[in-house]
């Protein structure tokens, strides 16, 4: 993807944008010079190109085991909306071939911007000249090699040549996703710098143990646990001690260091399956205050838990992704060989997970770009989407925590985009809200890409420091007569969006996109550019067509959630039959939304069995 600065000059861009150019010198080839802030204010007519690259630079083993890697990388197609700046064009490097139908859809979608700005649907048009989608030719050559997009681009001389032609005479820099050494190779071939953390540093602190070190140095609360675990003896010893110290925790999580998402996560409900758990709780109640922390007080309980723990895990511990780790033994072997962590699951019935996207600018400024409450589907450990902005944590507390995390990252040479995951709940003893930091990814997130689409189609502003999404209402002229009209009034409206790029339904592959949109139109599923409400889809590929992105926008959280759930229900009904339900996460997602809303049983949406 590339952002191209047009003829109006770089002085029209924000200070944050200028700061990014300066940072590019950090990882630039020696021959590349990026104008500094002072230069940018006086060089008129200078063009700027940004080349974001949605490449997942994970290890070869991780990429090999990732189903539909090419589609996973294309979940960030919302980054096309960097053309929000009128001085910017986009070149999107796509990991999948984009057919004429899909490209035409994005021409129409991006062409809604004029109608959004004016509030007049008639101003919508197809946009052709503001973006270009390129697919590296190596996609066909190495279709079975599970290469990340940067590697495919590295071996695509025709695509590289075209990028050079498109960016000729323009200052250029690359914005990646998950860093990879081939990002550096592509940058060298194109002669352009990179905005992002050096790959080795990024991979070090994106591990589960690495993120714990960042949080510890930032003095951010984290779940009780242990990290940097590399052998079974250490694993069982640490878990036994953690259980004794935290008997209120009923579920424990286990995470492999170098895995991403929930692929390398397993869990076990210790309270339900450990035979001596109830006895241990009674033993704990015999001691007051700090006495229980003494080794002599814990010795008997610790010894019995250590004896019972291995068979309990063997029978009841469950890896979240059975395709990666079909058994507990294989999961434990991976954890101790690659390194991993043990982490407490919050001891509460109501738990909310948050994703916060940050940008560390080279001038030291830390920006919050997106904040959302996660929505889950089949498992509370698998995120399928989020509601933006978040409404679970006080904005001032969230801002302070993110600032501390950003500062800790800066001291370790981390700059650019990063994503933080938090969990919040009410402590059952103190009845006060607890906030734990649970994960850190040094990359550009899918949530942030969809947020870009959200802001593009609403002309809105997401103020993460106040957890508020605002959009301008259509201007209304007020006056006594046509000849004596007063200036237009500008009203600000609040909006909430529910967004996801991880919706799956195998029956979608039976319906062509043009039929799908006709079906949605017949049921009133669409987007109102005047009111800035409704639903927008993100098409991810045109081969299997079983995955889709969707965003619903409404005046409040309840409205956005209800619209999102209603859409899923209608789509499922239209593309399914009693004898052909298909594999989908629609049903579980709707159930999650219903639990959030607290919808009564008689009003719940019902799927055909």
């Amino acid at each position: 993807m590339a952002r191209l600065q047009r003829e109006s000059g770089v002085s029209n861009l924000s200070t944050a944008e200028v700061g990014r150019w300066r940072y590019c010198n950090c990882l630039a080839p020696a021959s590349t010079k990026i104008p500094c802030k002072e230069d940018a204010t006086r060089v008129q007519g200078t063009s700027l190109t940004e080349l974001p690259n949605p490449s997942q630079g994970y290890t070869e083993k991780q990429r090999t085991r990732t189903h539909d890697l090419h589609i996973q990388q294309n979940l960030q197609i919302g980054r096309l909306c960097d053309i929000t700046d009128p001085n910017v064009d986009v070149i999107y490097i796509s990991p999948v071939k984009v057919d004429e139908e899909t490209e035409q859809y994005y021409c129409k979608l991006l062409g809604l911007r004029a109608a959004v700005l004016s509030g007049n649907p008639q101003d919508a048009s197809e946009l052709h000249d503001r973006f270009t989608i390129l697919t590296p030719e190596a996609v066909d050559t190495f279709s079975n090699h599970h290469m990340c997009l940067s590697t495919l681009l590295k071996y695509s001389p025709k695509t590289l040549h075209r990028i050079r032609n498109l960016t000729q005479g323009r200052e250029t820099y690359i914005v990646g996703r998950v860093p990879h050494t081939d990002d550096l190779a592509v940058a060298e071939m194109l002669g352009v710098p990179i905005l992002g953390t050096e790959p080795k540093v990024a991979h070090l602190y994106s591990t589960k143990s690495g993120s714990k070190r960042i949080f510890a140095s930032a003095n951010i609360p984290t779940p009780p646990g242990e990290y940097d675990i590399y052998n079974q003896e250490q694993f069982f010893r640490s878990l036994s001690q953690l259980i004794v110290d935290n008997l209120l925790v009923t579920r424990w999580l286990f995470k492999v260091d170098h895995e991403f998402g929930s692929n390398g996560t397993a869990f076990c409900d210790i309270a339900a399956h450990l035979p001596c758990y109830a006895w241990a709780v009674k033993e704990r109640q015999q001691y007051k205050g700090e006495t229980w922390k003494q080794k002599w007080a814990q010795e008997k309980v610790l010894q019995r838990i250590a004896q019972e723990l291995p068979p309990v895990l063997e029978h009841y511990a469950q890896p979240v992704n059975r395709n990666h780790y079909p058994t507990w033994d294989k999961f434990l072997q991976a954890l101790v060989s690659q390194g991993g962590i043990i982490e407490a699951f919050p001891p509460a019935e109501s738990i909310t997970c948050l994703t916060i996207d940050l940008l560390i600018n080279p001038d030291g400024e830390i920006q919050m770009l997106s904040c959302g409450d996660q929505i889950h589907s089949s498992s509370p450990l698998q995120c399928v989407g989020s509601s933006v902005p978040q409404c679970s944590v006080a904005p001032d507390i969230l801002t302070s925590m993110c600032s501390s995390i950003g500062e800790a990252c800066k001291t370790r040479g981390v700059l650019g985009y990063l994503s933080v995951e938090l969990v919040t709940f009410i402590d059952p003893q103190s009845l006060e809200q607890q906030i734990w930091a649970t994960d850190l990814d040094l990359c550009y997130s899918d949530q942030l890409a969809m947020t870009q689409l959200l802001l593009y189609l609403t002309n809105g502003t997401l103020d993460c420091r106040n957890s508020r999404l605002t959009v301008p209402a259509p201007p209304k002229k007020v006056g006594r007569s046509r000849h004596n009209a007063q200036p237009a009034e500008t009203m600000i409206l609040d909006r909430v969006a529910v967004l996801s790029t991880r919706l799956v339904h195998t029956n979608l592959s039976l319906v062509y996109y043009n039929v799908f949109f006709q079906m949605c139109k017949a049921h009133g599923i669409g987007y109102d550019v005047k009111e800035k409400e409704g639903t927008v889809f993100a098409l991810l590929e045109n081969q299997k067509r079983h995955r889709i992105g969707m965003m619903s926008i409404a005046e409040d959280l309840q409205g956005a959630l209800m619209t999102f759930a209603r859409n899923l229900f209608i789509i499922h009904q239209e593309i399914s039959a009693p004898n052909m339900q298909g594999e989908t996460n629609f049903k579980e997602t709707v159930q999650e939304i219903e639990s959030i809303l607290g919808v009564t049983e008689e009003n719940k949406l019902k799927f055909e069995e």
Side-chain angles (χ1 to χ4, degrees):
M1 196 196 286
R3 295 178 58 175
L4 313 181
Q5 174 66 21
R6 287 185 174 271
E7 296 177 356
S8 59
V10 297
S11 60
N12 292 330
L13 293 184
S14 65
T15 303
E17 290 286 347
V18 174
R20 294 189 214 174
W21 306 348
R22 298 184 64 189
Y23 168 64
C24 292
N25 287 311
C26 298
L27 295 178
S31 60
T32 305
K33 182 180 184 299
I34 301 301
C36 67
K37 179 178 178 180
E38 293 75 14
D39 295 333
T41 59
R42 62 174 181 265
V43 180
Q44 298 298 320
T46 300
S47 296
L48 180 70
T49 302
E50 181 185 321
L51 262 165
N53 178 6
S55 174
Q56 291 187 326
Y58 296 113
T59 64
E60 181 179 359
K61 185 177 181 181
Q62 289 174 314
R63 297 194 306 269
T64 301
R65 295 191 304 179
T66 301
H67 188 58
D68 290 333
L69 175 65
H70 59 300
I71 302 177
Q72 294 287 342
Q73 293 183 118
N74 210 38
L75 298 182
Q76 296 194 351
I77 197 168
R79 292 169 74 174
L80 285 169
C81 295
D82 278 350
I83 62 172
T84 299
D85 189 323
N87 301 314
V88 171
D89 288 351
V90 167
I91 302 172
Y92 182 75
I93 308 301
S94 174
V96 300
K97 288 188 174 181
V98 178
D99 69 330
E100 183 178 353
E101 181 183 23
T102 304
E103 187 163 354
Q104 185 180 14
Y105 170 75
Y106 282 106
C107 288
K108 292 181 178 179
L109 182 66
L110 298 178
L112 291 176
R113 178 70 173 180
V116 169
L117 295 176
S118 67
N120 184 3
Q122 295 180 352
D123 291 340
S125 61
E126 291 191 12
L127 186 67
H128 294 278
D129 61 344
R130 296 291 312 283
F131 72 98
T132 302
I133 299 177
L134 300 179
T135 303
E137 63 267 24
V139 166
D140 293 329
T141 308
F142 302 105
S143 58
N144 297 321
H145 287 68
H146 303 282
M147 293 179 175
C148 68
L149 186 55
S150 293
T151 304
L152 293 172
L153 184 57
K154 174 184 174 181
Y155 294 115
S156 300
K158 292 182 180 178
T159 304
L160 290 171
H161 179 69
R162 189 172 180 191
I163 293 173
R164 291 190 192 98
N165 289 338
L166 290 170
T167 60
Q168 188 174 7
R170 308 169 189 260
E171 298 291 351
T172 305
Y173 66 102
I174 296 173
V175 177
R177 186 176 179 180
V178 178
H180 189 273
T181 53
D182 281 339
D183 290 336
L184 303 178
V186 169
E188 190 67 33
M189 290 176 176
L190 294 174
V192 299
I194 301 175
L195 169 59
T197 306
E198 199 277 329
K200 291 184 179 179
V201 175
H203 291 176
L204 173 63
Y205 292 111
S206 285
T207 65
K208 307 304 179 185
S209 294
S211 65
K212 298 299 182 184
R213 286 191 285 271
I214 292 285
F215 297 145
S217 65
N219 293 319
I220 299 297
T222 58
E226 189 71 38
Y227 57 88
D228 286 331
I229 295 175
Y230 288 99
N231 60 70
Q232 289 195 22
E233 181 183 355
Q234 179 190 9
F235 174 85
F236 286 110
R237 183 177 66 251
S238 299
L239 180 55
S240 299
Q241 187 64 59
L242 286 168
I243 293 173
V244 172
D245 292 337
N246 304 275
L247 286 171
L248 286 179
V249 176
T250 59
R251 171 179 288 186
W252 290 89
L253 307 180
F254 319 107
K255 300 179 181 180
V256 180
D257 262 345
H258 294 279
E259 290 284 6
F260 62 95
S262 58
N263 293 331
T265 301
F267 67 92
C268 185
D269 293 319
I270 294 297
H273 303 299
L274 190 68
C276 68
Y277 179 79
W279 168 79
V281 172
K282 290 181 180 179
E283 288 291 312
R284 165 68 179 87
Q285 294 172 350
Q286 297 178 10
Y287 300 91
K288 296 182 180 180
E290 298 293 316
T291 307
W292 177 249
K293 294 183 179 180
Q294 302 296 322
K295 289 186 177 181
W296 61 266
Q298 298 180 353
E299 184 177 2
K300 184 170 59 174
V301 173
L302 181 61
Q303 183 178 6
R304 185 167 172 181
I305 288 178
Q307 292 174 350
E308 296 181 353
L309 197 55
V312 167
L313 293 175
E314 178 69 30
H315 289 90
Y316 299 108
Q318 302 179 44
V320 174
N321 191 329
R322 291 285 186 177
N323 293 326
H324 283 204
Y325 303 104
T327 66
W328 165 251
D329 286 340
K330 291 187 176 181
F331 178 88
L332 182 58
Q333 183 180 0
L335 188 147
V336 298
S337 62
Q338 301 178 35
I341 68 171
I342 302 171
E343 185 177 275
F345 190 78
E349 294 184 2
S350 180
I351 301 165
T352 302
C353 300
L354 300 85
T355 300
I356 315 298
D357 293 297
L358 307 177
L359 172 62
I360 302 178
N361 286 303
D363 60 1
E365 180 187 10
I366 300 171
Q367 293 178 276
M368 295 175 62
L369 303 180
S370 182
C371 56
D373 293 323
Q374 292 183 7
I375 297 173
H376 304 92
S377 57
S378 58
S379 166
L381 303 175
Q382 290 179 307
C383 176
V384 72
S386 57
S387 59
V388 176
Q390 69 84 28
C391 58
S392 301
V393 176
D396 56 337
I397 296 176
L398 191 63
T399 300
S400 176
M401 293 182 68
C402 290
S403 177
S404 298
I405 293 171
E407 292 292 340
C409 288
K410 280 198 305 181
T411 61
R412 288 161 173 78
V414 174
L415 288 177
Y417 296 94
L418 57 143
S419 181
V420 180
E421 289 194 11
L422 307 173
V423 61
T424 181
F425 62 98
I426 301 299
D427 186 279
Q429 288 188 315
S430 65
L431 299 181
E432 295 181 353
Q433 184 182 37
Q434 297 293 322
I435 307 170
W436 290 344
T438 58
D439 206 355
L440 173 68
D441 291 310
L442 305 184
C443 66
Y444 195 111
S445 78
D446 297 339
Q447 175 180 276
L448 181 55
M450 286 295 283
T451 300
Q452 293 293 91
L453 177 61
L454 166 64
L455 299 180
Y456 180 86
L457 291 177
T458 60
N459 190 29
T461 300
L462 179 59
D463 182 3
C464 295
R465 292 182 177 271
N466 292 296
S467 292
R468 190 182 182 195
L469 171 64
T470 57
V471 302
K476 297 180 180 179
K477 291 186 177 181
V478 179
R480 298 178 181 177
S481 67
R482 288 187 300 175
H483 303 288
N484 188 25
Q486 296 180 2
E489 293 183 352
T490 302
M491 295 180 60
I492 300 299
L493 305 176
D494 287 313
R495 290 290 181 266
V496 175
V498 176
L499 45 88
S500 171
T501 57
R502 300 183 178 274
L503 300 174
V504 181
H505 203 308
T506 53
N507 289 354
L508 283 170
S509 61
L510 304 176
V511 183
Y512 287 103
Y513 283 140
N514 59 344
V515 177
F516 174 79
F517 287 119
Q518 289 175 7
M519 174 193 72
C520 291
K521 184 177 181 181
H523 287 279
I525 300 175
Y527 183 64
D528 187 333
V529 297
K530 184 177 181 179
E531 299 298 329
K532 300 177 180 62
E533 293 181 355
T535 298
V536 177
F537 294 96
L539 306 185
L540 306 176
E541 50 88 32
N542 195 49
Q543 296 175 355
K544 292 186 175 181
R545 299 195 310 277
H546 64 293
R547 294 174 181 265
I548 198 168
M550 185 172 73
M551 176 172 62
S552 294
I553 307 168
E555 294 182 357
D556 52 33
L557 177 60
Q558 183 178 12
L561 288 169
M562 288 298 296
T563 301
F564 197 89
R566 173 183 175 272
N567 294 344
L568 293 181
F569 179 59
I570 290 174
I571 294 170
H572 174 79
Q573 280 191 317
E574 289 294 320
I575 65 177
S576 303
N579 60 345
M580 189 179 67
Q581 292 291 294
E583 295 181 11
T584 179
N585 61 2
F586 282 22
K587 181 177 180 179
E588 290 83 359
T589 304
V590 171
Q591 290 174 342
E592 167 76 0
I593 291 175
E594 289 173 346
S595 67
I596 295 173
L597 291 171
V599 180
T600 57
E601 194 68 27
E602 51 271 16
N603 289 332
K604 284 187 176 180
L605 301 175
K606 298 183 182 295
F607 278 73
E608 292 190 18
E609 296 298 328

